[in-house]
Amino acid sequence: MNKLQRRNQRLVRRTLNRAELIASVNISDGCIVNVETLRWRDYWEGCDSLSRELEQLHGAWIGLIEDAYSVAHRDGFVHGYFALLSTSVKRFVGGEIGLHVLRKVVGFETFHVSDRGGPLAAGIVNVRNPAYMLSRLALPNTQHNPKYLPLICPFDDNAATGGLYCHYRRISLDNSGNIQLFVYPPVEPPHNSPNYVLIRRLFRAFTVKNDPWVEKRSGTLFDCVLDKVLGDYRADQIRLVDMACGSARLTVELCRKAFNRHRKSFDLTLVDVVRPNKSLAQVFYRNPLIFDRLVFRQDSLFDWVEDSSTDQAAHFDIVLMLRVLDVFSHFHIETLSRHEMMMLVRRDREDIVLDEDVLDPSKLIESAKHDRIQHTTKKTRLRRGSMFYQFSLSDYFKAMHLATGAKVDGTIGAAHVAIRRFDDGVLVLPSGRSLIGQLMERADRIVVEDVDVTARHLRRHIDEFGLSSLCVTDMSDRQRVRGAFLTLVDKRS
């Protein structure tokens, strides 16, 4: 970690020690981070009708900060927030408070992330966001993960309604990893998005570690897919392209494993909208037996594939698409009736007790029923997409739904849930051609690792475009790969 990264981390940690709310995190061209803050009374201006609930929350918030975010203060803080949230939703539905007030409740302890061009992402800090911290009451010993809060809706005084941002990455702000910054891009990014450029810059401003799971992911990818694929190649050199490569640390680890097992070297092409760190070049220079050549193309994957002149003479053995397409999935909020909730639990054989207070965590905390809080990252599939078992965040998602301008849903006992759905249109290039078809004209195989894209999605796409020469194989090992699907696309023999 360099001096600038240490300076940026210290700045945020110092801010967290003060009784102030983070309004925004701004990053300059030189990767210098600045934090804008708000006093409690300034943020809650205009919310006098909730004074009793806000007073309770304020006391718990002050206690949490002054006691350095100790476990002893979690219950009171989380209880205070969800009591405020429950009251706010009821009063908004009853016409007693306005949208402006509800949006402040939903956006509490969230903030925008911006550069000179304005907000492009959003964020929370894990130890200060009460909606996220509900998971720590239910599962105190689990590792921190942004999936416990899949959507946030930061308050913006200049906007008529709120905007949704979805879970993406995290940055540790201390050596222990207990304090983490979670970064959220908008839910509907365009194909050539500056949002991810900003997020990459933010990572560089804080840390040299872009992906804390590189070692585990590389081991799984290699054992499940690449080890088998590379065994088919007799050539000593493999032409490999990594689409939306990010830091390329995962690619480097995969190449190292391939060299150690199969003695293969690599002609490597990296494609991304942001250049990797300069230190990456040193990795190649220090490993001449593994890497024969390195080419970097600064481009979006869609533009690179569409541009027939780019690397026109190159034919690749393998294309890597690792966690690329899932950033284009769509989120929306829906309601599930009590009957639908029970059917899901029964179908998935989950050991879940759906008592009458499951949708109101403040009551569960009052009754010391932490084990009844439903706030997990267990995933289940619906016809409309997938969701996590997070029924106790129902008021949070309902308030967020209303804050974005949705109509009031009067279904009694219904749970509001965040649904994530893969957008099949991402597999279609702006020209109307198939992304998979165009890649396979220049490659022998595609390896897809993705949270949402399954072999079924790819088979359906191939059938729709009449790509009968292509074959799709599900390579997922469900014992090792819990959060994603591994799929191989190659040509029929």
Side-chain angles (χ1 to χ4, degrees):
M1 186 183 298
N2 59 37
K3 289 183 180 179
L4 180 59
Q5 290 166 340
R6 285 193 291 270
R7 175 262 179 200
N8 291 337
Q9 288 205 13
R10 283 196 303 268
L11 173 66
V12 176
R13 291 199 302 270
R14 282 199 303 268
T15 304
L16 295 175
N17 291 331
R18 300 197 298 266
E20 295 178 346
L21 291 162
I22 297 177
S24 66
V25 172
N26 309 307
I27 181 169
S28 70
D29 292 338
C31 284
I32 297 174
V33 169
N34 289 297
V35 179
E36 295 182 4
T37 61
L38 280 170
R39 292 180 298 178
W40 179 273
R41 65 184 182 187
D42 293 332
Y43 180 80
W44 293 110
E45 185 179 4
C47 301
D48 296 341
S49 58
L50 296 170
S51 58
R52 186 173 67 85
E53 291 81 8
L54 285 172
E55 183 178 355
Q56 180 186 9
L57 178 61
H58 187 213
W61 181 71
I62 292 292
L64 183 77
I65 295 169
E66 289 183 347
D67 203 24
Y69 306 100
S70 70
V71 174
H73 287 272
R74 282 181 188 167
D75 276 33
F77 178 56
V78 176
H79 173 270
Y81 176 74
F82 279 94
L84 168 68
L85 181 65
S86 178
T87 300
S88 301
V89 170
K90 290 174 184 175
R91 291 187 183 177
F92 177 81
V93 172
E96 299 174 50
I97 64 172
L99 184 61
H100 186 78
V101 175
L102 184 68
R103 287 174 53 217
K104 285 194 174 186
V105 175
V106 174
F108 177 61
E109 283 293 2
T110 69
F111 47 84
H112 288 100
V113 179
S114 61
D115 61 9
R116 292 180 180 178
L120 291 171
I124 70 167
V125 176
N126 63 329
V127 294
R128 281 185 67 157
N129 184 284
Y132 173 79
M133 289 171 64
L134 181 65
S135 66
R136 310 309 292 171
L137 303 188
L139 303 165
N141 299 319
T142 57
Q143 292 184 323
H144 288 286
N145 192 327
K147 292 179 181 178
Y148 285 111
L149 197 62
L151 292 176
I152 63 173
C153 184
F155 177 73
D156 184 352
D157 206 12
N158 298 317
T161 58
L164 298 184
Y165 294 77
C166 54
H167 70 86
Y168 183 54
R169 299 288 290 278
R170 56 183 169 172
I171 305 171
S172 292
L173 297 177
D174 64 349
N175 293 331
S176 66
N178 289 328
I179 301 177
Q180 297 186 11
L181 167 65
F182 295 165
V183 187
Y184 294 69
V187 294
E188 294 186 3
H191 277 196
N192 189 6
S193 173
N195 310 93
Y196 293 94
V197 176
L198 173 67
I199 292 172
R200 283 283 305 281
R201 287 176 54 217
L202 187 69
F203 268 81
R204 287 186 185 179
F206 281 110
T207 181
V208 295
K209 298 178 180 179
N210 255 10
D211 188 344
W213 304 105
V214 163
E215 186 58 38
K216 183 177 180 180
R217 283 180 65 201
S218 64
T220 302
L221 278 165
F222 184 78
D223 293 344
C224 293
V225 186
L226 280 183
D227 188 23
K228 300 177 176 65
V229 168
L230 291 173
D232 295 337
Y233 286 96
R234 295 183 178 181
D236 294 331
Q237 184 195 76
I238 302 297
R239 303 201 71 171
L240 179 70
V241 59
D242 187 0
M243 310 297 295
C245 64
S247 68
R249 290 180 63 231
L250 180 59
T251 317
V252 169
E253 288 303 312
L254 289 172
C255 292
R256 281 176 173 157
K257 293 179 187 300
F259 178 78
N260 292 336
R261 179 75 62 87
H262 297 280
R263 311 311 291 179
K264 304 288 188 185
S265 64
F266 290 86
D267 182 324
L268 183 59
T269 298
L270 303 175
V271 180
D272 203 289
V273 292
V274 180
R275 283 192 168 276
N277 290 326
K278 293 179 180 179
S279 59
L280 180 64
Q282 298 301 319
V283 173
F284 292 89
Y285 294 140
R286 290 195 300 267
N287 295 276
L289 296 179
I290 301 177
F291 302 105
D292 293 324
R293 189 174 73 121
L294 169 66
V295 175
F296 180 80
R297 301 296 182 191
Q298 190 166 0
D299 216 340
S300 79
L301 71 95
F302 304 103
D303 292 340
W304 186 84
V305 174
E306 287 274 43
D307 186 358
S308 59
S309 65
T310 304
D311 301 313
Q312 190 172 14
H315 186 84
F316 299 98
D317 297 304
I318 302 170
V319 175
L320 299 180
M321 298 186 69
L322 310 179
R323 308 264 179 149
V324 175
L325 299 174
D326 59 31
V327 302
F328 298 97
S329 293
H330 291 290
F331 282 85
H332 60 282
I333 296 169
E334 291 190 7
T335 57
L336 292 179
S337 68
R338 173 71 62 164
H339 175 70
E340 288 175 312
M341 292 162 62
M342 296 294 293
M343 292 296 291
L344 270 181
V345 170
R346 196 172 301 145
R347 184 198 71 184
D348 296 341
R349 299 179 180 178
E350 291 290 343
D351 185 19
I352 294 176
V353 178
L354 295 176
D355 65 20
E356 60 182 12
D357 292 331
V358 70
L359 306 184
D360 190 345
S362 63
K363 290 184 179 179
L364 294 176
I365 296 169
E366 284 176 10
S367 306
K369 296 179 179 177
H370 294 66
D371 60 315
R372 301 290 177 90
I373 296 172
Q374 295 306 319
H375 190 165
T376 75
T377 56
K378 292 179 181 177
K379 196 174 182 181
T380 187
R381 294 206 165 266
L382 309 172
R383 285 183 302 170
R384 306 175 294 278
S386 63
M387 56 163 269
F388 297 122
Y389 273 106
Q390 297 178 347
F391 295 137
S392 294
L393 281 181
S394 177
D395 271 349
Y396 181 74
F397 292 131
K398 182 176 183 178
M400 185 182 298
H401 198 40
L402 297 172
T404 56
K407 300 292 184 181
V408 174
D409 189 321
T411 307
I412 298 175
H416 286 73
V417 295
I419 305 290
R420 175 175 176 144
R421 182 181 179 87
F422 173 63
D423 180 8
D424 293 273
V426 174
L427 296 174
V428 182
L429 294 166
S431 64
R433 295 178 294 181
S434 163
L435 171 65
I436 301 301
Q438 289 302 111
L439 282 173
M440 288 300 286
E441 286 188 5
R442 300 161 66 176
D444 295 330
R445 290 180 168 97
I446 304 173
V447 174
V448 180
E449 178 203 24
D450 209 88
V451 171
D452 296 316
V453 179
T454 65
R456 180 176 58 84
H457 285 117
L458 294 174
R459 289 190 189 108
R460 184 171 63 201
H461 173 80
I462 284 172
D463 288 343
E464 288 177 357
F465 277 81
L467 304 173
S468 57
S469 63
L470 303 184
C471 177
V472 176
T473 307
D474 186 354
M475 307 295 287
S476 304
D477 180 346
R478 301 324 303 168
Q479 298 300 314
R480 297 185 62 181
V481 187
R482 298 284 183 177
F485 302 94
L486 300 180
T487 311
L488 176 67
V489 181
D490 60 6
K491 294 168 183 174
R492 296 184 186 277
S493 57

